[in-house]
Amino acid sequence: MSLCNAIVKIRKHKTKSGIALLYNEETNNTYDVCLQLTKEVLTIQKLDVVCTSESESPVNHRTVVLRRQATGGLGLSIKGGAEHNVPVVISKIFKDQVADQTGKLFVGDAVLQVNGINVEPCTHEEVVHLLRTAGDEVTITVRYLREVPSFLKLPLGSPGPSTDRSRVSSPLFDSGLHLNGNGNNAAPSPPSPSANEPKYEKRWLDAVSLPLLMARVSRYKAGTDQLRSNCFEVFALDGASANILQFCTAAESTDWLQAISTNINELTQENIKIVNKYCSSDDQIVHMGWASESPEGSAAGRASAFKFLALRGPYFYIFRSPPISAADWGEAVTTYNLYEVLFKVHKLWMAEDCWLQARLYLGLEHSPEQQDNESLCFSILVGHGQSHTFRVELATDLAIWEKSFQRAVFLEVQRIRSKSYMCSSQGNVLCFTIDFGSGFTCSEGTSKTALWRYKFSQLKGSSDDGKTRVKLLFKNAESNQIEMKELEFTNLTAVLHCIHSFIAAKVASMDPLFMCSQSLHGNYMNT
């Protein structure tokens, strides 16, 4: 197998469905939802009651007549009450008893009326009393709650058998014994529903559809570094969200997060391919996507904010929102020359990497102890000591950004081939040139006469004062002696980053795996 074939990866979107919890921060309530993931959309479905004998559309209200059994009661239990600002809800329906046999009542139905009396403002005990004293024929009007109140998920708390009818009922536990009677004795079944009567059933119905193109996901509480446990939120391009998705286990949460992120990335890649077809070879998009920017320095008190990042042509772009039109590319918050940008992963999780070796070689990389919450962060170091720190959601996102930066910088160095900076040494104005083919050249500022030249391989180290001055240590090819060249630049950081970019690109150009991956990437983007 060739090296190229060995590193081919098959990209495939994921289709997935399953049950999750949706958490509403405003109501502090969670309820079951069904997730349907396709290539382009995440659909969130909620349970509702539909009339199957008509148009199968959701039913707002249902009025049901219950004929109380002498020994079976109404066959249901209720929870809730106005004293707790929650509706009275049917919490249990007993199999083969009256409520069950109607086929029209469901757990999760809110009781609106009893025999024409509005019970929405009533306490739990008041509703219990109405149902108990309503007579042999009870007419109740109900509406199914698509967002089932969290108190329904409490463990069933029906008291044990008791004949004390004066007992006070609890709105957070089932009040059912005095409504059901003694279920141990068989009772005659009521007449079967007429064939002409409407029939109802619970179904999952689409509630929210989130397009995944340019969407983003977040496991963190908005504007903070606080990680949610087994939760994440999905935001569409327009900022729409379906609240917070919760899962029972970390593995399930990660599985869904990866599946949704995979489809978002695939749609992004398809969009990049379409845009690149109409752009010149010098203006190609290498990668783009969302990341959360953490405040730096004096702005550390500010909340983190999502930014849309793009690597296109000679620049690294930072946007507040994705560029949709050609004009939007001119609306970036900031742009930087790629060859003067240093990409730095906060946690050194790639041991053998020519780009990392180049940073270590130039003294641009250090090895302080990293905290775990920084493991999915990277920084963009730019001129004059400025930087931006970004956080992504998955290790795969971090890997994609690192490889994309390598590719984008490599392509830009290949395009420009050389870069010159004005500098000074001992009061003389000089021109320092970094050339992909020949290495380093320093010449007089006016006459352009070359004063010295060294290949990239002859650079053995460097040191700087953190401001304007740098000492470059070169090995003389003939004498094998180390020669020091001291230069002063107005923007030393940009020069050092440029040196790093050229050396790393040079090393990468001699790496068959890297070059093969560039060829494969180019072929994929052109298909």
Side-chain angles (χ1 to χ4, degrees):
M1 181 183 293
S2 70
L3 288 175
C4 288
N5 291 334
I7 62 175
V8 171
K9 293 182 179 179
I10 299 175
R11 292 176 169 90
K12 184 176 178 62
H13 71 269
K14 294 190 176 183
T15 301
K16 188 177 175 66
S17 62
I19 304 298
L21 288 173
L22 199 65
Y23 173 64
N24 188 321
E25 286 184 301
E26 293 182 0
T27 63
N28 197 32
N29 190 31
T30 58
Y31 51 93
D32 292 335
V33 293
C34 182
L35 304 181
Q36 300 286 346
L37 177 65
T38 64
K39 176 184 177 181
E40 296 179 342
V41 177
L42 174 66
T43 302
I44 298 175
Q45 299 176 323
K46 299 178 183 179
L47 271 177
D48 210 334
V49 173
V50 299
C51 181
T52 59
S53 56
E54 296 179 359
S55 61
E56 298 194 0
S57 59
V59 181
N60 289 330
H61 299 82
R62 280 164 284 128
T63 298
V64 182
V65 177
L66 300 175
R67 294 175 177 83
R68 193 189 307 272
Q69 292 177 299
T71 56
L74 299 178
L76 56 84
S77 295
I78 61 171
K79 283 183 180 179
E83 68 269 43
H84 284 274
N85 295 317
V86 293
V88 171
V89 177
I90 296 177
S91 56
K92 189 172 183 180
I93 292 178
F94 294 87
K95 185 173 176 59
D96 295 330
Q97 294 193 23
V98 176
D100 181 45
Q101 289 170 340
T102 66
K104 299 177 183 179
L105 294 175
F106 302 89
V107 172
D109 278 340
V111 182
L112 306 179
Q113 293 183 357
V114 175
N115 285 349
I117 299 173
N118 179 18
V119 298
E120 291 182 272
C122 295
T123 66
H124 180 83
E125 188 62 32
E126 288 170 340
V127 179
V128 169
H129 178 74
L130 276 173
L131 290 170
R132 182 192 302 164
T133 60
D136 291 338
E137 187 171 284
V138 183
T139 302
I140 64 173
T141 301
V142 297
R143 179 185 72 247
Y144 185 74
L145 297 181
R146 298 182 75 181
E147 300 183 11
V148 179
S150 56
F151 66 81
L152 267 183
K153 300 181 179 67
L154 290 174
L156 292 180
S158 299
S162 171
T163 57
D164 182 6
R165 295 295 181 91
S166 65
R167 171 182 57 81
V168 176
S169 304
S170 168
L172 297 184
F173 291 88
D174 291 281
S175 293
L177 184 65
H178 48 291
L179 304 181
N180 298 310
N182 186 355
N184 294 328
N185 297 326
S189 300
S192 300
S194 166
N196 294 326
E197 290 186 10
K199 296 179 175 60
Y200 301 92
E201 67 179 42
K202 279 184 180 180
R203 288 188 182 175
W204 291 108
L205 300 180
D206 292 354
V208 179
S209 292
L210 295 174
L212 296 181
L213 180 62
M214 303 293 186
R216 60 181 172 89
V217 295
S218 177
R219 297 177 298 145
Y220 295 82
K221 292 184 179 180
T224 74
D225 292 328
Q226 290 182 272
L227 188 66
R228 291 189 175 105
S229 176
N230 303 342
C231 302
F232 61 84
E233 199 166 359
V234 183
F235 296 88
L237 173 61
D238 61 2
S241 168
N243 293 318
I244 300 158
L245 296 173
Q246 292 184 339
F247 299 88
C248 295
T249 65
E252 189 179 11
S253 177
T254 300
D255 188 45
W256 271 99
L257 182 65
Q258 289 177 335
I260 294 171
S261 296
T262 295
N263 288 10
I264 291 174
N265 288 334
E266 285 303 305
L267 289 172
T268 299
Q269 290 302 314
E270 290 182 6
N271 192 46
I272 289 173
K273 288 168 61 177
I274 293 171
V275 173
N276 284 346
K277 283 183 179 180
Y278 302 96
C279 297
S280 67
S281 59
D282 296 340
D283 196 31
Q284 297 284 294
I285 301 172
V286 174
H287 187 57
M288 57 185 183
W290 289 99
S292 178
E293 183 174 14
S294 302
E296 294 283 339
S298 59
R302 279 204 334 252
S304 58
F306 274 91
K307 298 294 176 62
F308 193 82
L309 314 180
L311 297 166
R312 181 176 186 178
Y315 302 114
F316 169 62
Y317 293 84
I318 301 177
F319 295 92
R320 288 191 177 90
S321 59
I324 304 302
S325 66
D328 290 342
W329 285 91
E331 300 299 320
V333 176
T334 313
T335 59
Y336 296 106
N337 291 319
L338 273 172
Y339 55 81
E340 292 180 344
V341 166
L342 182 68
F343 179 94
K344 181 178 178 181
V345 176
H346 282 211
K347 195 168 186 177
L348 306 182
W349 54 277
M350 297 191 68
E352 296 184 4
D353 177 5
C354 61
W355 298 77
L356 173 58
Q357 291 170 7
R359 292 198 294 274
L360 289 168
Y361 198 68
L362 289 170
L364 296 173
E365 186 71 75
H366 306 283
S367 301
E369 288 189 22
Q370 305 293 335
Q371 298 180 2
D372 289 340
N373 62 0
E374 293 184 336
S375 60
L376 296 180
C377 293
F378 64 88
S379 289
I380 303 300
L381 282 62
V382 296
H384 298 291
Q386 296 178 326
S387 66
H388 299 268
T389 298
F390 300 99
R391 182 187 64 226
V392 293
E393 297 296 322
L394 296 167
T396 50
D397 296 332
L398 191 62
I400 290 172
W401 274 112
E402 179 157 40
K403 293 302 180 184
S404 297
F405 257 95
Q406 292 175 7
R407 173 175 167 78
V409 172
F410 177 82
L411 293 174
E412 179 58 10
V413 169
Q414 292 286 301
R415 185 185 73 83
I416 64 172
R417 303 300 292 183
S418 69
K419 174 63 181 176
S420 296
Y421 294 92
M422 299 307 295
C423 61
S424 63
S425 178
Q426 298 178 342
N428 298 316
V429 177
L430 305 175
C431 180
F432 178 71
T433 300
I434 311 164
D435 186 272
F436 185 78
S438 59
F440 305 101
T441 302
C442 189
S443 55
E444 292 183 352
T446 53
S447 66
K448 305 300 182 184
T449 303
L451 302 177
W452 47 262
R453 287 191 177 90
Y454 295 98
K455 297 179 180 178
F456 289 126
S457 59
Q458 291 178 270
L459 179 62
K460 299 305 177 183
S462 68
S463 62
D464 62 83
D465 63 359
K467 297 177 182 178
T468 60
R469 295 183 180 182
V470 63
K471 295 178 180 179
L472 301 174
L473 305 178
F474 297 99
K475 184 177 182 179
N476 188 294
E478 297 179 356
S479 66
N480 289 331
Q481 297 297 310
I482 297 296
E483 298 175 349
M484 183 188 73
K485 303 298 180 181
E486 185 171 352
L487 302 172
E488 187 169 356
F489 297 88
T490 56
N491 189 351
L492 176 59
T493 305
V495 177
L496 293 177
H497 291 174
C498 186
I499 293 174
H500 160 261
S501 296
F502 272 74
I503 291 179
K506 190 71 173 181
V507 174
S509 69
M510 296 181 286
D511 182 349
L513 278 175
F514 178 83
M515 295 305 295
C516 185
S517 69
Q518 302 315 296
S519 175
L520 286 172
H521 189 278
N523 292 335
Y524 170 76
M525 296 303 291
N526 291 327
T527 56

PDB file of all heavy atoms in Angstrom, residues 342-356:
ATOM      1  N   LEU A 342       1.287  32.788  14.131  1.00  0.00           N
ATOM      2  CA  LEU A 342       1.766  31.537  14.731  1.00  0.00           C
ATOM      3  C   LEU A 342       0.592  30.832  15.385  1.00  0.00           C
ATOM      4  O   LEU A 342      -0.096  31.390  16.232  1.00  0.00           O
ATOM      5  CB  LEU A 342       2.848  31.813  15.773  1.00  0.00           C
ATOM      6  CG  LEU A 342       3.448  30.564  16.440  1.00  0.00           C
ATOM      7  CD1 LEU A 342       4.250  29.758  15.436  1.00  0.00           C
ATOM      8  CD2 LEU A 342       4.319  30.956  17.620  1.00  0.00           C
ATOM      9  N   PHE A 343       0.354  29.603  14.949  1.00  0.00           N
ATOM     10  CA  PHE A 343      -0.708  28.776  15.521  1.00  0.00           C
ATOM     11  C   PHE A 343      -0.110  27.936  16.635  1.00  0.00           C
ATOM     12  O   PHE A 343       0.879  27.242  16.440  1.00  0.00           O
ATOM     13  CB  PHE A 343      -1.292  27.873  14.428  1.00  0.00           C
ATOM     14  CG  PHE A 343      -2.381  26.947  14.911  1.00  0.00           C
ATOM     15  CD1 PHE A 343      -3.716  27.315  14.807  1.00  0.00           C
ATOM     16  CD2 PHE A 343      -2.086  25.706  15.447  1.00  0.00           C
ATOM     17  CE1 PHE A 343      -4.715  26.463  15.229  1.00  0.00           C
ATOM     18  CE2 PHE A 343      -3.082  24.854  15.880  1.00  0.00           C
ATOM     19  CZ  PHE A 343      -4.405  25.235  15.775  1.00  0.00           C
ATOM     20  N   LYS A 344      -0.742  27.971  17.810  1.00  0.00           N
ATOM     21  CA  LYS A 344      -0.186  27.271  18.969  1.00  0.00           C
ATOM     22  C   LYS A 344      -1.283  26.514  19.704  1.00  0.00           C
ATOM     23  O   LYS A 344      -2.228  27.110  20.218  1.00  0.00           O
ATOM     24  CB  LYS A 344       0.473  28.281  19.909  1.00  0.00           C
ATOM     25  CG  LYS A 344       1.116  27.657  21.139  1.00  0.00           C
ATOM     26  CD  LYS A 344       1.783  28.727  21.975  1.00  0.00           C
ATOM     27  CE  LYS A 344       2.401  28.155  23.233  1.00  0.00           C
ATOM     28  NZ  LYS A 344       3.035  29.202  24.067  1.00  0.00           N
ATOM     29  N   VAL A 345      -1.155  25.200  19.752  1.00  0.00           N
ATOM     30  CA  VAL A 345      -2.081  24.370  20.516  1.00  0.00           C
ATOM     31  C   VAL A 345      -1.690  24.449  21.987  1.00  0.00           C
ATOM     32  O   VAL A 345      -0.519  24.339  22.336  1.00  0.00           O
ATOM     33  CB  VAL A 345      -2.034  22.904  20.033  1.00  0.00           C
ATOM     34  CG1 VAL A 345      -2.921  22.028  20.904  1.00  0.00           C
ATOM     35  CG2 VAL A 345      -2.482  22.815  18.579  1.00  0.00           C
ATOM     36  N   HIS A 346      -2.662  24.637  22.862  1.00  0.00           N
ATOM     37  CA  HIS A 346      -2.356  24.788  24.286  1.00  0.00           C
ATOM     38  C   HIS A 346      -1.858  23.502  24.919  1.00  0.00           C
ATOM     39  O   HIS A 346      -1.086  23.539  25.863  1.00  0.00           O
ATOM     40  CB  HIS A 346      -3.589  25.279  25.041  1.00  0.00           C
ATOM     41  CG  HIS A 346      -3.820  26.742  24.865  1.00  0.00           C
ATOM     42  ND1 HIS A 346      -4.390  27.536  25.818  1.00  0.00           N
ATOM     43  CD2 HIS A 346      -3.536  27.569  23.819  1.00  0.00           C
ATOM     44  CE1 HIS A 346      -4.464  28.782  25.375  1.00  0.00           C
ATOM     45  NE2 HIS A 346      -3.960  28.818  24.167  1.00  0.00           N
ATOM     46  N   LYS A 347      -2.296  22.383  24.402  1.00  0.00           N
ATOM     47  CA  LYS A 347      -1.826  21.111  24.943  1.00  0.00           C
ATOM     48  C   LYS A 347      -1.088  20.392  23.831  1.00  0.00           C
ATOM     49  O   LYS A 347      -1.647  20.145  22.767  1.00  0.00           O
ATOM     50  CB  LYS A 347      -2.997  20.258  25.446  1.00  0.00           C
ATOM     51  CG  LYS A 347      -2.564  19.103  26.334  1.00  0.00           C
ATOM     52  CD  LYS A 347      -3.768  18.503  27.028  1.00  0.00           C
ATOM     53  CE  LYS A 347      -3.335  17.447  28.032  1.00  0.00           C
ATOM     54  NZ  LYS A 347      -4.498  16.897  28.762  1.00  0.00           N
ATOM     55  N   LEU A 348       0.168  20.033  24.069  1.00  0.00           N
ATOM     56  CA  LEU A 348       0.986  19.440  23.018  1.00  0.00           C
ATOM     57  C   LEU A 348       0.653  17.964  22.893  1.00  0.00           C
ATOM     58  O   LEU A 348       1.278  17.099  23.478  1.00  0.00           O
ATOM     59  CB  LEU A 348       2.471  19.626  23.347  1.00  0.00           C
ATOM     60  CG  LEU A 348       2.882  21.085  23.609  1.00  0.00           C
ATOM     61  CD1 LEU A 348       4.365  21.168  23.877  1.00  0.00           C
ATOM     62  CD2 LEU A 348       2.510  21.968  22.435  1.00  0.00           C
ATOM     63  N   TRP A 349      -0.388  17.693  22.107  1.00  0.00           N
ATOM     64  CA  TRP A 349      -0.858  16.317  21.993  1.00  0.00           C
ATOM     65  C   TRP A 349      -0.324  15.628  20.740  1.00  0.00           C
ATOM     66  O   TRP A 349      -0.582  14.471  20.510  1.00  0.00           O
ATOM     67  CB  TRP A 349      -2.379  16.280  21.980  1.00  0.00           C
ATOM     68  CG  TRP A 349      -2.993  17.165  20.940  1.00  0.00           C
ATOM     69  CD1 TRP A 349      -3.228  18.496  21.033  1.00  0.00           C
ATOM     70  CD2 TRP A 349      -3.453  16.776  19.651  1.00  0.00           C
ATOM     71  NE1 TRP A 349      -3.802  18.962  19.886  1.00  0.00           N
ATOM     72  CE2 TRP A 349      -3.960  17.944  19.020  1.00  0.00           C
ATOM     73  CE3 TRP A 349      -3.497  15.567  18.966  1.00  0.00           C
ATOM     74  CZ2 TRP A 349      -4.488  17.915  17.750  1.00  0.00           C
ATOM     75  CZ3 TRP A 349      -4.032  15.541  17.700  1.00  0.00           C
ATOM     76  CH2 TRP A 349      -4.524  16.723  17.097  1.00  0.00           C
ATOM     77  N   MET A 350       0.444  16.347  19.903  1.00  0.00           N
ATOM     78  CA  MET A 350       1.079  15.724  18.732  1.00  0.00           C
ATOM     79  C   MET A 350       2.585  15.752  18.953  1.00  0.00           C
ATOM     80  O   MET A 350       3.224  16.781  18.878  1.00  0.00           O
ATOM     81  CB  MET A 350       0.699  16.461  17.449  1.00  0.00           C
ATOM     82  CG  MET A 350      -0.790  16.415  17.152  1.00  0.00           C
ATOM     83  SD  MET A 350      -1.176  17.000  15.511  1.00  0.00           S
ATOM     84  CE  MET A 350      -0.466  15.722  14.504  1.00  0.00           C
ATOM     85  N   ALA A 351       3.136  14.595  19.255  1.00  0.00           N
ATOM     86  CA  ALA A 351       4.546  14.517  19.649  1.00  0.00           C
ATOM     87  C   ALA A 351       5.491  14.730  18.470  1.00  0.00           C
ATOM     88  O   ALA A 351       6.468  15.467  18.576  1.00  0.00           O
ATOM     89  CB  ALA A 351       4.816  13.173  20.299  1.00  0.00           C
ATOM     90  N   GLU A 352       5.202  14.098  17.354  1.00  0.00           N
ATOM     91  CA  GLU A 352       6.110  14.193  16.204  1.00  0.00           C
ATOM     92  C   GLU A 352       5.457  15.061  15.134  1.00  0.00           C
ATOM     93  O   GLU A 352       4.576  14.631  14.416  1.00  0.00           O
ATOM     94  CB  GLU A 352       6.415  12.795  15.671  1.00  0.00           C
ATOM     95  CG  GLU A 352       7.172  11.938  16.687  1.00  0.00           C
ATOM     96  CD  GLU A 352       7.547  10.590  16.108  1.00  0.00           C
ATOM     97  OE1 GLU A 352       7.284  10.388  14.914  1.00  0.00           O
ATOM     98  OE2 GLU A 352       8.094   9.770  16.849  1.00  0.00           O
ATOM     99  N   ASP A 353       5.894  16.259  15.061  1.00  0.00           N
ATOM    100  CA  ASP A 353       5.282  17.234  14.174  1.00  0.00           C
ATOM    101  C   ASP A 353       6.353  18.232  13.749  1.00  0.00           C
ATOM    102  O   ASP A 353       6.935  18.916  14.576  1.00  0.00           O
ATOM    103  CB  ASP A 353       4.144  17.930  14.928  1.00  0.00           C
ATOM    104  CG  ASP A 353       3.476  19.026  14.102  1.00  0.00           C
ATOM    105  OD1 ASP A 353       3.833  19.168  12.927  1.00  0.00           O
ATOM    106  OD2 ASP A 353       2.616  19.718  14.648  1.00  0.00           O
ATOM    107  N   CYS A 354       6.580  18.326  12.459  1.00  0.00           N
ATOM    108  CA  CYS A 354       7.652  19.202  11.982  1.00  0.00           C
ATOM    109  C   CYS A 354       7.359  20.667  12.316  1.00  0.00           C
ATOM    110  O   CYS A 354       8.270  21.451  12.547  1.00  0.00           O
ATOM    111  CB  CYS A 354       7.840  19.031  10.471  1.00  0.00           C
ATOM    112  SG  CYS A 354       6.388  19.456   9.475  1.00  0.00           S
ATOM    113  N   TRP A 355       6.063  21.029  12.392  1.00  0.00           N
ATOM    114  CA  TRP A 355       5.717  22.408  12.708  1.00  0.00           C
ATOM    115  C   TRP A 355       6.042  22.706  14.171  1.00  0.00           C
ATOM    116  O   TRP A 355       6.539  23.772  14.500  1.00  0.00           O
ATOM    117  CB  TRP A 355       4.231  22.644  12.425  1.00  0.00           C
ATOM    118  CG  TRP A 355       3.914  22.443  10.988  1.00  0.00           C
ATOM    119  CD1 TRP A 355       3.775  21.260  10.333  1.00  0.00           C
ATOM    120  CD2 TRP A 355       3.748  23.456   9.993  1.00  0.00           C
ATOM    121  NE1 TRP A 355       3.510  21.478   8.999  1.00  0.00           N
ATOM    122  CE2 TRP A 355       3.488  22.803   8.766  1.00  0.00           C
ATOM    123  CE3 TRP A 355       3.770  24.853  10.028  1.00  0.00           C
ATOM    124  CZ2 TRP A 355       3.263  23.516   7.589  1.00  0.00           C
ATOM    125  CZ3 TRP A 355       3.535  25.546   8.854  1.00  0.00           C
ATOM    126  CH2 TRP A 355       3.295  24.879   7.654  1.00  0.00           C
ATOM    127  N   LEU A 356       5.782  21.768  15.034  1.00  0.00           N
ATOM    128  CA  LEU A 356       6.120  21.934  16.453  1.00  0.00           C
ATOM    129  C   LEU A 356       7.633  21.989  16.615  1.00  0.00           C
ATOM    130  O   LEU A 356       8.169  22.790  17.378  1.00  0.00           O
ATOM    131  CB  LEU A 356       5.539  20.775  17.266  1.00  0.00           C
ATOM    132  CG  LEU A 356       5.934  20.716  18.740  1.00  0.00           C
ATOM    133  CD1 LEU A 356       5.529  21.999  19.454  1.00  0.00           C
ATOM    134  CD2 LEU A 356       5.294  19.517  19.423  1.00  0.00           C
TER     135      LEU A 356
END
